[in-house]
Amino acid sequence: MLSTSPALLEVFKSTYFKTAQQKQSKFQKSGVLEYDNANGAIHNLARIKPFEVTAINSKNAASDSNTKTAWTTDNRQWYTTVYYAELLMDKEIDVDKAIADPTSSLMMNAVAAGNRQIDRACAVAATASISSGAPEQTKTTVAFAADGGKTIDATGGITEALLRKIAQNFQNSGLVDDDEWQNAAIFITGSEEKQLFALDKLINRLYTSYTEANKARVQKVFDTYSVYVVPGSDADTTVTNPILTESTGTRTCLVVAPGALEAKIDIKSVEHFPTMETYLNSQMFRFKIEVGACRTEGARVQILSTTIES
């Protein structure tokens, strides 16, 4: 027998987002991600694309109608996926109590699963081609490079020169302020962090105040970029559903400046089955969530392409 009600959905929503405030995704922790309102069927991210101002070179100059087209919206379509979980559990578990408790294992694991999908969605949206255009126009597809994104080839290993090149790319874009790119986040796996440990200027206190070698961590790159390590495949481990894209022996690591990504998560439905005819002394709880992400500006993202250890 199915048990569902608006109250059940609202309690689950309230507890989910309360728990999510304490248990954030990697991208959310980094500060490069902003959350958008997920209420209703929102398919596009409203955006005004970059524009230039026009100089007035004469007194009482007439308005140039050709420049008015510069003030246009540039909506971007969300990259969205709906996920679900069906949890078969012992009948003695009080589901109503569990979904009202932010510290329950049910809610902690539900939020952790949702956060992993947010990170995966952000990793894909950061470099994917996007559908863009004004509301009254037919959408067009814009590739990562055409959107201002840059790719750093680090398949031969991460070096100091390549890390310096990242800063140069942000500076030369003209779209990322100093206080933004200097707070960018680098998303890598343990394999790439091992390469960072081989660079003296990242672990030696003569060069950096963020030496964390004694904690087996590289916390900062040049006292600037924060480092976030996510699961990834290497010679000893195969990750079946990695956060960062892995393909044909290479990994798409990311360098992301603040404001580069927006995400949304919406609880679509919650259902409780107090009895299960085919199971003894069991019940089932099912919920669906919609996760979406979108890149706001290609110039705020750089790919750091590395080789997967084999």
Side-chain angles (χ1 to χ4, degrees):
M1 179 184 294
L2 170 63
S3 173
T4 183
S5 69
L8 187 71
L9 177 61
E10 290 306 313
V11 170
F12 184 84
K13 275 187 177 182
S14 175
T15 310
Y16 186 98
F17 291 118
K18 188 181 296 183
T19 307
Q21 290 177 353
Q22 307 300 323
K23 194 176 181 67
Q24 297 179 330
S25 72
K26 294 274 189 179
F27 276 80
Q28 188 178 7
K29 287 179 182 177
S30 71
V32 302
L33 171 65
E34 296 180 6
Y35 272 98
D36 202 355
N37 180 13
N39 292 328
I42 302 173
H43 302 291
N44 297 294
L45 174 67
R47 172 182 178 270
I48 296 175
K49 63 183 179 182
F51 59 90
E52 298 293 339
V53 293
T54 303
I56 299 177
N57 297 316
S58 61
K59 249 185 180 181
N60 302 320
S63 173
D64 183 354
S65 60
N66 292 329
T67 65
K68 292 179 181 178
T69 58
W71 183 260
T72 58
T73 56
D74 182 32
N75 290 350
R76 297 192 162 198
Q77 191 168 25
W78 288 96
Y79 167 83
T80 60
T81 307
V82 176
Y83 301 93
Y84 76 95
E86 290 183 338
L87 308 174
L88 188 65
M89 60 186 74
D90 192 281
K91 199 171 181 65
E92 297 302 315
I93 295 176
D94 188 336
V95 171
D96 290 333
K97 184 178 179 179
I99 67 171
D101 181 5
T103 64
S104 70
S105 59
L106 171 60
M107 295 310 302
M108 294 288 283
N109 282 296
V111 169
N115 283 344
R116 288 191 291 272
Q117 297 303 341
I118 288 173
D119 284 340
R120 292 186 180 104
C122 286
V124 171
T127 62
S129 296
I130 59 169
S131 294
S132 174
E136 74 281 1
Q137 294 177 343
T138 302
K139 63 183 180 182
T140 58
T141 300
V142 182
F144 174 68
D147 196 36
K150 298 292 185 183
T151 299
I152 303 289
D153 185 356
T155 53
I158 299 175
T159 64
E160 180 187 348
L162 292 178
L163 295 173
R164 298 287 185 190
K165 179 62 176 174
I166 293 171
Q168 183 181 343
N169 287 341
F170 280 138
Q171 290 168 323
N172 290 341
S173 72
L175 296 174
V176 187
D177 293 337
D178 286 351
D179 61 341
E180 292 176 324
W181 72 259
Q182 288 175 0
N183 287 290
I186 297 181
F187 296 93
I188 57 175
T189 72
S191 299
E192 288 78 26
E193 189 182 44
K194 184 171 68 175
Q195 295 179 38
L196 295 182
F197 267 114
L199 303 178
D200 268 357
K201 291 187 178 179
L202 300 189
I203 62 172
N204 192 318
R205 287 198 183 275
L206 293 175
Y207 303 100
T208 177
S209 61
Y210 285 94
T211 302
E212 296 292 343
N214 60 324
K215 297 181 182 178
R217 279 296 320 276
V218 175
Q219 185 177 2
K220 288 272 190 175
V221 171
F222 303 140
D223 287 3
T224 298
Y225 315 118
S226 297
V227 177
Y228 293 86
V229 178
V230 299
S233 302
D234 59 20
D236 301 316
T237 306
T238 299
V239 177
T240 56
N241 197 9
I243 302 296
L244 301 173
T245 302
E246 297 178 353
S247 177
T248 60
T250 61
R251 179 181 292 114
T252 302
C253 298
L254 299 170
V255 186
V256 186
L261 297 167
E262 291 209 21
K264 65 174 182 175
I265 184 166
D266 188 21
I267 312 299
K268 306 297 290 184
S269 65
V270 177
E271 297 167 314
H272 180 212
F273 299 81
T275 58
M276 298 293 291
E277 292 182 0
T278 55
Y279 294 93
L280 180 64
N281 201 36
S282 297
Q283 61 181 328
M284 189 179 76
F285 181 75
R286 178 169 62 201
F287 67 93
K288 293 180 183 179
I289 60 173
E290 182 181 49
V291 174
C294 183
R295 183 179 69 247
T296 63
E297 195 74 59
R300 295 178 181 272
V301 180
Q302 296 186 52
I303 293 173
L304 188 65
S305 183
T306 64
T307 299
I308 300 174
E309 290 182 343
S310 59

